[in-house]
């Protein structure tokens, strides 16, 4: 409830600037980052839910692709509090959400229409290239949708298209956010973990890349579950 109330209030306060032409993109990004930090703080103080970041040494100083495990709504905004000015590849339908969708467009996130096939893919690759050239890292959820902790969805081949086109390393990101903010159910107290893994270098074949990406993310994410820790 806190998330939605505060998110709605923050968007209403910022709304006039969303419709004024010429407002610099970085203003909108500063707003997005401020909001993300504020939600993290509220979750820590009110809910007792805190974030632990592991593998900071694997965060790249140059623009790269971050391939992130997707379990929770947390995954869509906490990265703004760890990475500097990233852009997300996101489902186009999310842009239809009042105010929030407008913010996503203004900060330069990259929408993809999964029903438009090759045309949408080409547009997404072109936008991704532009953002990388402007010094921004690209965040993508290779499964395409949220998975329950301990489970996974098939890894979509679009991640390989981005990897091949951009010719930059991919940093896998494991997490266990679904334990604390599940898709259905109440938030829980505790420490969720975001873990940055060693980069996958450029130049791999599709089979080798997809196998390594999935193995790295899934193994590390499983190791963040309580039963694995106990074992």
């Amino acid at each position: 409830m806190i998330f939605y109330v505060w998110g709605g209030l923050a968007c209403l306060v910022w709304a006039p600037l969303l419709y004024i032409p010429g407002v610099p993109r970085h203003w909108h990004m500063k707003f997005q980052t401020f909001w993300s930090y504020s939600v993290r703080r509220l979750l820590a103080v009110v809910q007792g839910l805190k974030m632990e970041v592991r593998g900071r040494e694997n965060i790249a100083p140059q623009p790269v692709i971050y391939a992130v495990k997707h379990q929770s709504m947390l995954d869509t905004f906490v990265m703004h509090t760890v990475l500097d000015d990233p852009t997300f590849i996101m489902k186009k339908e999310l842009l239809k959400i009042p105010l929030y969708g407008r913010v996503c467009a203004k900060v330069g996130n990259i929408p993809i229409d999964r029903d438009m096939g090759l045309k949408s893919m080409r547009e997404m690759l072109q936008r991704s290239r532009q953002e990388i050239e402007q010094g921004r890292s690209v965040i993508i959820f290779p499964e395409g949708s949220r998975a329950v902790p301990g489970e996974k969805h098939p890894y979509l081949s679009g991640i390989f298209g981005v990897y091949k086109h951009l010719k930059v390393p991919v940093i896998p990101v494991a997490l266990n956010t679904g334990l604390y903010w599940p898709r259905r159910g109440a938030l829980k107290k505790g420490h969720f973990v975001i873990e940055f893994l060693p980069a996958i270098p450029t130049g791999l074949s599709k089979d080798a890349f997809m196998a390594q990406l999935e193995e790295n993310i899934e193994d590390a994410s499983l190791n963040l579950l309580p039963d694995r820790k106990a074992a």
Side-chain angles (χ1 to χ4, degrees), residues 125-177:
L125 292 176
Q126 182 179 13
R127 280 288 312 280
S128 298
R129 169 63 67 188
Q130 291 171 351
E131 299 301 330
I132 286 286
E133 290 176 349
Q134 291 175 17
R136 304 181 72 196
S137 289
V138 174
I139 296 175
I140 185 171
F141 298 111
E143 294 170 282
S145 59
R146 285 176 282 185
V148 175
E151 299 180 1
K152 68 179 180 66
H153 298 302
Y155 278 50
L156 305 178
S157 59
I159 177 63
F160 178 74
V162 178
Y163 165 78
K164 183 178 180 180
H165 181 73
L166 298 185
K167 295 181 172 59
V168 297
V170 170
I171 296 179
V173 183
L175 45 75
N176 62 358
T177 53

Side-chain angles (χ1 to χ4, degrees), residues 7-8 11-12 18-19 93-103:
C11 284
L12 284 173
L18 295 174
Y19 295 92
E93 52 263 37
L94 294 177
L95 296 179
K96 298 178 182 179
I97 300 175
L99 295 181
Y100 172 79
R102 188 80 175 181
V103 172

Side-chain angles (χ1 to χ4, degrees), residues 52-54 174-177 180 191-195 224 229:
E52 177 186 350
V53 178
R54 298 178 185 175
L175 45 75
N176 62 358
T177 53
Y180 302 96
H191 283 75
F192 66 90
V193 177
I194 308 289
E195 182 175 4
L224 296 176
K229 292 178 181 179

